[in-house]
PDB file of all heavy atoms in Angstrom:
ATOM      1  N   LEU P  93      -8.516  26.302 249.595  1.00 97.00           N
ATOM      2  CA  LEU P  93      -7.167  25.820 249.604  1.00 97.00           C
ATOM      3  C   LEU P  93      -6.245  27.027 249.383  1.00 97.00           C
ATOM      4  O   LEU P  93      -6.270  27.660 248.313  1.00 97.00           O
ATOM      5  CB  LEU P  93      -6.918  24.815 248.497  1.00 97.00           C
ATOM      6  CG  LEU P  93      -7.527  23.439 248.569  1.00 97.00           C
ATOM      7  CD1 LEU P  93      -9.090  23.464 248.467  1.00 97.00           C
ATOM      8  CD2 LEU P  93      -6.966  22.517 247.546  1.00 97.00           C
ATOM      9  N   ASP P  94      -5.519  27.416 250.367  1.00 91.00           N
ATOM     10  CA  ASP P  94      -4.549  28.504 250.224  1.00 91.00           C
ATOM     11  C   ASP P  94      -3.246  27.936 249.681  1.00 91.00           C
ATOM     12  O   ASP P  94      -2.645  27.101 250.332  1.00 91.00           O
ATOM     13  CB  ASP P  94      -4.332  29.228 251.578  1.00 91.00           C
ATOM     14  CG  ASP P  94      -5.559  29.924 252.100  1.00 91.00           C
ATOM     15  OD1 ASP P  94      -6.231  30.594 251.302  1.00 91.00           O
ATOM     16  OD2 ASP P  94      -5.879  29.732 253.284  1.00 91.00           O
ATOM     17  N   SER P  95      -2.835  28.364 248.525  1.00 95.00           N
ATOM     18  CA  SER P  95      -1.619  27.936 247.910  1.00 95.00           C
ATOM     19  C   SER P  95      -1.691  26.390 247.666  1.00 95.00           C
ATOM     20  O   SER P  95      -1.073  25.607 248.390  1.00 95.00           O
ATOM     21  CB  SER P  95      -0.380  28.218 248.841  1.00 95.00           C
ATOM     22  OG  SER P  95       0.799  27.934 248.168  1.00 95.00           O
ATOM     23  N   ALA P  96      -2.419  26.036 246.624  1.00 97.00           N
ATOM     24  CA  ALA P  96      -2.689  24.644 246.339  1.00 97.00           C
ATOM     25  C   ALA P  96      -1.422  23.867 246.056  1.00 97.00           C
ATOM     26  O   ALA P  96      -0.430  24.406 245.453  1.00 97.00           O
ATOM     27  CB  ALA P  96      -3.662  24.525 245.167  1.00 97.00           C
ATOM     28  N   LYS P  97      -1.474  22.614 246.409  1.00 97.00           N
ATOM     29  CA  LYS P  97      -0.333  21.714 246.223  1.00 97.00           C
ATOM     30  C   LYS P  97      -0.759  20.585 245.270  1.00 97.00           C
ATOM     31  O   LYS P  97      -1.936  20.213 245.227  1.00 97.00           O
ATOM     32  CB  LYS P  97       0.155  21.105 247.551  1.00 97.00           C
ATOM     33  CG  LYS P  97       0.656  22.201 248.484  1.00 97.00           C
ATOM     34  CD  LYS P  97       0.865  21.609 249.903  1.00 97.00           C
ATOM     35  CE  LYS P  97       1.354  22.652 250.847  1.00 97.00           C
ATOM     36  NZ  LYS P  97       0.510  23.881 250.882  1.00 97.00           N
ATOM     37  N   THR P  98       0.215  19.968 244.613  1.00 97.00           N
ATOM     38  CA  THR P  98      -0.119  18.889 243.665  1.00 97.00           C
ATOM     39  C   THR P  98      -0.786  17.705 244.352  1.00 97.00           C
ATOM     40  O   THR P  98      -1.630  16.999 243.766  1.00 97.00           O
ATOM     41  CB  THR P  98       1.132  18.429 242.897  1.00 97.00           C
ATOM     42  OG1 THR P  98       2.132  18.017 243.833  1.00 97.00           O
ATOM     43  CG2 THR P  98       1.675  19.483 242.014  1.00 97.00           C
ATOM     44  N   ASN P  99      -0.443  17.482 245.635  1.00 96.00           N
ATOM     45  CA  ASN P  99      -1.065  16.311 246.323  1.00 96.00           C
ATOM     46  C   ASN P  99      -2.516  16.640 246.768  1.00 96.00           C
ATOM     47  O   ASN P  99      -3.161  15.779 247.422  1.00 96.00           O
ATOM     48  CB  ASN P  99      -0.236  15.839 247.513  1.00 96.00           C
ATOM     49  CG  ASN P  99      -0.041  16.889 248.607  1.00 96.00           C
ATOM     50  OD1 ASN P  99      -0.663  17.936 248.536  1.00 96.00           O
ATOM     51  ND2 ASN P  99       0.820  16.597 249.543  1.00 96.00           N
ATOM     52  N   GLN P 100      -3.002  17.810 246.472  1.00 98.00           N
ATOM     53  CA  GLN P 100      -4.378  18.116 246.694  1.00 98.00           C
ATOM     54  C   GLN P 100      -5.260  17.855 245.441  1.00 98.00           C
ATOM     55  O   GLN P 100      -6.479  18.130 245.457  1.00 98.00           O
ATOM     56  CB  GLN P 100      -4.539  19.539 247.201  1.00 98.00           C
ATOM     57  CG  GLN P 100      -3.929  19.718 248.566  1.00 98.00           C
ATOM     58  CD  GLN P 100      -4.011  21.167 249.067  1.00 98.00           C
ATOM     59  OE1 GLN P 100      -3.593  22.104 248.417  1.00 98.00           O
ATOM     60  NE2 GLN P 100      -4.494  21.338 250.286  1.00 98.00           N
ATOM     61  N   THR P 101      -4.628  17.357 244.429  1.00 98.00           N
ATOM     62  CA  THR P 101      -5.408  16.876 243.274  1.00 98.00           C
ATOM     63  C   THR P 101      -6.313  15.718 243.739  1.00 98.00           C
ATOM     64  O   THR P 101      -5.840  14.720 244.276  1.00 98.00           O
ATOM     65  CB  THR P 101      -4.464  16.377 242.134  1.00 98.00           C
ATOM     66  OG1 THR P 101      -3.749  17.485 241.606  1.00 98.00           O
ATOM     67  CG2 THR P 101      -5.240  15.665 241.038  1.00 98.00           C
ATOM     68  N   SER P 102      -7.602  15.871 243.526  1.00 98.00           N
ATOM     69  CA  SER P 102      -8.562  14.903 244.053  1.00 98.00           C
ATOM     70  C   SER P 102      -9.972  15.254 243.553  1.00 98.00           C
ATOM     71  O   SER P 102     -10.173  16.252 242.896  1.00 98.00           O
ATOM     72  CB  SER P 102      -8.503  14.876 245.601  1.00 98.00           C
ATOM     73  OG  SER P 102      -9.312  13.847 246.123  1.00 98.00           O
TER      74      SER P 102
END
Side-chain angles (χ1 to χ4, degrees):
Chain P
L93 289 68
D94 295 315
S95 187
K97 299 171 181 49
T98 55
N99 62 8
Q100 292 178 308
T101 291
S102 187

